[in-house]
């Protein structure tokens, strides 16, 4: 089971966000004016592999970015590939929480892997179960073909998610879900996707940590 915990706190002038999972632990500190980001600073607490090679200092290019209620809308202001993905995916939902004046939010996710006939992916929001998907995989896809197999992952329950492919979920979600549910979907979908990394041998030279980074 791949587990991930995200905590975001906000005030009228600041926000602080942290994420911890099997592979990383990162934090982001934000100064804002209620309409845009004034200063964004990253904290690299556990950055074990070169798959997380972008230092938190690159977040400074977000200084001045407008706050958006939707994480995807926020992300479209920048090329997210230029950033540390875990850090960027803290700033994006923090933007919405600032606008909605939510002072604290905790997300805990569990995404078992590999996906089987009926795999349960769960998100708890502030300690209460908020999303519970049953996800299935196309049985004709070879189990060791991880990239292709992930593209076939489909939510089979509950409604209104039933029938949606995990990789194609967010455009549908934007048109059909309110801001709170969209944000939770954004977080759980990412956890399901990251669970595939459990198959990577992250101790091989291919993923060796760049010299000089901590």
């Amino acid at each position: 089971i791949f587990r991930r915990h995200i905590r975001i706190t906000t005030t009228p002038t600041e926000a602080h966000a942290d994420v911890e999972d099997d592979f990383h632990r990162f934090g982001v500190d934000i100064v804002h004016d209620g309409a845009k980001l004034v200063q964004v600073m990253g904290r690299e607490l556990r950055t074990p592999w070169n798959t997380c090679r972008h230092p938190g200092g690159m977040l400074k290019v977000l200084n001045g970015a407008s706050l958006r209620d939707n994480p995807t809308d926020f992300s479209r202001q920048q090329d997210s590939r230029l950033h540390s993905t875990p850090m960027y995916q803290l700033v994006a939902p923090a933007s919405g929480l600032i606008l909605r004046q939510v002072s604290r939010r905790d997300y805990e996710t569990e995404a078992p892997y590999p996906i089987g006939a009926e795999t349960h992916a769960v998100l708890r929001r502030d300690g209460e179960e908020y999303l519970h998907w049953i996800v299935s995989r196309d049985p004709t896809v070879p189990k060791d073909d991880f990239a292709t197999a992930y593209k076939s992952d489909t939510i089979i329950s509950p409604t209104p998610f039933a029938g949606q492919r995990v990789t194609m979920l967010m455009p549908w979600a934007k048109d059909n879900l309110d801001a709170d549910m969209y944000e939770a979907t954004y977080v759980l979908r990412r956890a399901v996707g990251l669970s595939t990394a459990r198959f990577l041998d992250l101790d091989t030279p291919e993923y060796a940590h760049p010299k000089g980074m901590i």
Side-chain angles (χ1 to χ4, degrees):
I1 295 176
F2 175 79
R3 293 181 172 89
R4 172 170 258 216
H5 186 187
I6 292 173
R7 174 173 294 162
I8 302 172
T9 60
T10 75
T11 75
T13 58
E14 296 182 0
H16 305 278
D18 290 88
V19 60
E20 184 166 21
D21 57 35
D22 295 25
F23 311 123
H24 349 71
R25 184 176 177 189
F26 291 117
V28 172
D29 300 310
I30 297 168
V31 178
H32 68 88
D33 64 6
K36 66 181 182 298
L37 303 176
V38 176
Q39 186 177 25
V40 185
M41 299 158 286
R43 289 177 278 113
E44 301 167 63
L45 303 173
R46 180 158 52 92
T47 315
W49 297 291
N50 65 11
T51 52
C52 305
R53 62 191 178 279
H54 300 301
M58 293 189 70
L59 290 172
K60 65 184 179 182
V61 301
L62 290 174
N63 296 347
S66 298
L67 297 172
R68 293 286 186 268
D69 195 30
N70 180 298
T72 303
D73 287 347
F74 176 86
S75 298
R76 285 175 178 158
Q77 298 180 93
Q78 298 271 341
D79 183 350
S80 61
R81 294 171 297 179
L82 299 176
H83 301 277
S84 162
T85 300
M87 288 187 181
Y88 197 85
Q89 291 180 342
L90 288 175
V91 179
S95 169
L97 294 175
I98 292 168
L99 287 175
R100 299 200 300 278
Q101 299 182 353
V102 177
S103 61
R104 174 168 168 161
R105 180 133 294 163
D106 278 85
Y107 286 117
E108 297 173 274
T109 55
E110 296 178 2
Y113 211 80
I115 300 296
E118 289 192 0
T119 298
H120 296 254
V122 178
L123 176 142
R124 295 179 181 85
R125 192 182 80 167
D126 301 332
E128 300 290 334
E129 186 174 296
Y130 193 72
L131 280 176
H132 188 151
W133 296 340
I134 299 178
V135 186
S136 69
R137 169 158 296 165
D138 184 347
T140 66
V141 177
K143 292 183 178 180
D144 58 352
D145 185 353
F146 306 131
T148 302
Y150 172 56
K151 293 178 181 178
S152 76
D153 293 348
T154 301
I155 302 171
I156 61 175
S157 177
T159 56
F161 298 95
Q164 300 297 322
R165 287 202 173 187
V166 173
T167 54
M168 304 296 292
L169 184 58
M170 299 317 295
W172 168 88
K174 185 176 180 180
D175 292 336
N176 291 276
L177 304 177
D178 64 25
D180 283 331
M181 184 60 76
Y182 183 96
E183 184 178 279
T185 299
Y186 176 89
V187 172
L188 185 55
R189 175 191 175 276
R190 181 61 182 165
V192 172
L194 278 172
S195 70
T196 63
R198 295 293 295 270
F199 283 112
L200 298 176
D201 183 355
L202 294 169
D203 294 320
T204 63
E206 178 183 3
Y207 298 105
H209 204 284
K211 185 177 293 186
M213 290 182 66
I214 59 172

